[in-house]
């Protein structure tokens, strides 16, 4: 099996493989494989966001978000790809975490068009992104080929998402203690 080719452009803060955005610098790596249209992913984000942010803030963990597009066919406009690509624009301004959270809070229902360009831009403003730079990035869409790459890498690795923040916290604390 051949590895997918890394896109020509990946967002700022990407892993060396280009398949995720790294937040924090703790000794334990926690990988979150997400699709911004996935209701299961939304539940996980809303339940675990403060726990994960705390682990990063306490320098116990580095969190790697992998924005995927496995639900692209569940919208009429390939919303999963558009949302993941827009999160790359937010990463370029160092606001990935805030913007990703906003995308989940305002998650559209499956089966429709998803959020419009204007709605994505408004979420960016609310997440503290520089309006002109973010809107330009959304319009130029440099990261549209990034979500399919991330999805292909995650699929090849057999990634499974489990929304259990307590289990993640226990595993990170245990691993962090063993590294000391």
């Amino acid at each position: 099996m051949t590895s997918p080719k890394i896109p020509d452009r990946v967002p700022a803060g990407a892993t060396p493989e280009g398949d995720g955005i790294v937040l924090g610098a703790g000794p334990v790596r926690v990988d979150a494989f997400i699709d911004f249209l996935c209701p299961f992913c939304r539940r996980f984000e809303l339940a675990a966001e403060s726990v994960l942010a705390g682990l990063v803030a306490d320098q116990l963990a580095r969190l790697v978000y992998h924005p995927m597009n496995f639900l692209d066919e569940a919208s009429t406009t390939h919303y999963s790809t558009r949302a993941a690509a827009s999160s790359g624009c937010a990463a370029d301004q160092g606001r990935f975490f805030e913007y990703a959270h906003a995308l989940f809070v305002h998650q559209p229902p499956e089966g429709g068009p998803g959020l419009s360009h204007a709605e994505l831009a408004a979420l960016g403003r609310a997440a503290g992104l520089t309006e002109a730079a973010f809107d330009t990035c959304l319009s130029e869409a440099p990261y549209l080929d990034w979500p399919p790459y991330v999805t292909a890498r995650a699929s090849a690795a057999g990634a499974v998402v489990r929304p259990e923040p307590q289990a993640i916290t226990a595993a990170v604390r245990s691993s962090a203690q063993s590294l000391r």
Side-chain angles (χ1 to χ4, degrees):
M1 175 179 196
T2 60
S3 294
K5 181 187 174 299
I6 190 167
D8 291 334
R9 283 194 61 188
V10 296
T15 62
E17 305 81 17
D19 65 350
I21 301 298
V22 181
L23 305 171
V28 178
R29 178 174 165 157
V30 176
D31 290 273
F33 296 88
I34 59 170
D35 184 312
F36 292 112
L37 190 57
C38 168
F40 187 73
C41 301
R42 179 181 192 269
R43 279 187 302 200
F44 173 76
E45 171 66 20
L46 298 180
E49 183 258 344
S50 62
V51 170
L52 295 174
L55 293 171
V56 169
D58 293 343
Q59 297 181 6
L60 294 173
R62 66 188 178 281
L63 180 58
V64 181
Y65 274 98
H66 301 270
M68 299 167 54
N69 68 343
F70 59 85
L71 286 175
D72 248 358
E73 301 306 316
S75 79
T76 58
T77 64
H78 300 283
Y79 177 73
S80 293
T81 293
R82 292 187 308 104
S86 72
S87 76
C89 294
D92 285 350
Q93 292 189 37
R95 306 289 294 181
F96 177 88
F97 193 71
E98 297 84 355
Y99 185 69
H101 184 73
L103 285 172
F104 280 123
V105 168
H106 299 282
Q107 185 180 73
E110 291 181 39
L115 301 179
S116 68
H117 177 96
E119 290 168 318
L120 292 172
L123 288 180
R125 285 190 301 278
L129 295 162
T130 304
E131 182 176 353
F134 187 66
D135 197 51
T136 297
C137 188
L138 287 179
S139 295
E140 292 176 357
Y143 302 121
L144 283 179
D145 58 349
W146 181 56
Y149 168 76
V150 174
T151 302
R153 295 237 341 141
S155 294
V160 176
V161 180
R162 293 178 52 209
E164 298 175 2
Q166 297 81 9
I168 292 170
T169 300
V172 167
R173 291 193 188 283
S174 174
S175 293
Q177 287 177 349
S178 70
L179 293 172
R180 290 184 183 153

